[in-house]
Amino acid sequence: MKYKRLSKEQLEELHPEFINFLATQSITGDEWKKLKEEKPQVAEDEIDVFSDLIWEGVLSKVEYLENISELHMHLFHLTEKEMKLFSVKVMNPEIDLRTQEGFGWFKRNFQSDFVEYLTASKAYSEDKNLDKFKLIQQGAVITKGELYQWFEQIME
């Protein structure tokens, strides 16, 4: 398995897609039930292949990721050729950027000496989608990029 198996809830949400996937494997509903009972490992392998296909589709479309902790924001723009990063470090231990109050403090004080910025870019490895997936595994979430784009504007 290349990525991570979809959760039970995710698989339930994607039930129609999974049925179509099984159909492309020439597996009917009855055959699927029989497969789960008689060859559970083969059924598990099919779920893993389906999970990887879903992840590939999602990751190929991801353009922005955010990883926000108490005192740091890592905002990624995933372009065709490279990963671009805006990194923010807040040097006020009383602030938690994950809260409304903490983020409000940041918006009022983003130009103060209590906030440091770093920008960077990095080429992808041989597997662009796996690079993206590793960021997600480290806590990044897929976004529409509004925060990244805001930073892009203020940094100009």
Side-chain angles (χ1 to χ4, degrees):
M1 175 160 220
K2 184 174 178 180
Y3 300 111
K4 176 179 148 192
R5 178 180 286 200
L6 297 173
S7 69
K8 184 178 179 187
E9 293 81 15
Q10 291 168 323
L11 286 168
E12 286 171 6
E13 283 289 319
L14 295 167
H15 187 73
E17 290 83 354
F18 186 64
I19 291 170
N20 289 336
F21 167 76
L22 291 175
T24 64
Q25 308 292 321
S26 300
I27 299 173
T28 65
D30 291 338
E31 289 171 326
W32 177 247
K33 287 178 189 168
K34 188 176 176 185
L35 197 62
K36 288 194 303 185
E37 291 170 9
E38 296 175 10
K39 297 181 182 176
Q41 187 53 53
V42 174
E44 296 291 316
D45 291 345
E46 290 294 334
I47 293 171
D48 289 347
V49 170
F50 177 73
S51 294
D52 277 348
L53 283 171
I54 294 298
W55 274 112
E56 279 291 333
V58 168
L59 293 168
S60 65
K61 294 176 185 164
V62 170
E63 288 186 53
Y64 295 96
L65 293 172
E66 293 178 3
N67 191 342
I68 300 175
S69 62
E70 286 179 52
L71 299 173
H72 293 89
M73 280 191 273
H74 294 85
L75 312 172
F76 299 92
H77 183 198
L78 308 168
T79 68
E80 189 62 34
K81 297 188 190 266
E82 64 186 359
M83 299 179 278
K84 296 181 178 182
L85 166 71
F86 278 132
S87 179
V88 177
K89 181 179 179 183
V90 173
M91 291 164 296
N92 179 344
E94 296 174 18
I95 297 304
D96 185 342
L97 293 168
R98 299 170 298 185
T99 67
Q100 198 169 8
E101 298 82 20
F103 197 75
W105 178 92
F106 167 75
K107 287 197 300 191
R108 290 186 305 277
N109 296 282
F110 72 91
Q111 292 179 312
S112 77
D113 290 340
F114 290 103
V115 182
E116 286 182 356
Y117 298 97
L118 171 79
T119 59
S121 60
K122 178 182 173 185
Y124 293 107
S125 70
E126 304 250 334
D127 192 334
K128 184 189 303 188
N129 284 347
L130 192 55
D131 292 342
K132 295 175 184 180
F133 184 74
K134 287 177 181 176
L135 292 172
I136 292 170
Q137 281 189 306
Q138 293 167 6
V141 293
I142 299 168
T143 70
K144 294 179 181 173
E146 288 137 347
L147 196 49
Y148 184 97
Q149 292 165 8
W150 179 77
F151 271 103
E152 210 168 35
Q153 289 175 353
I154 67 166
M155 294 296 189
E156 289 178 352

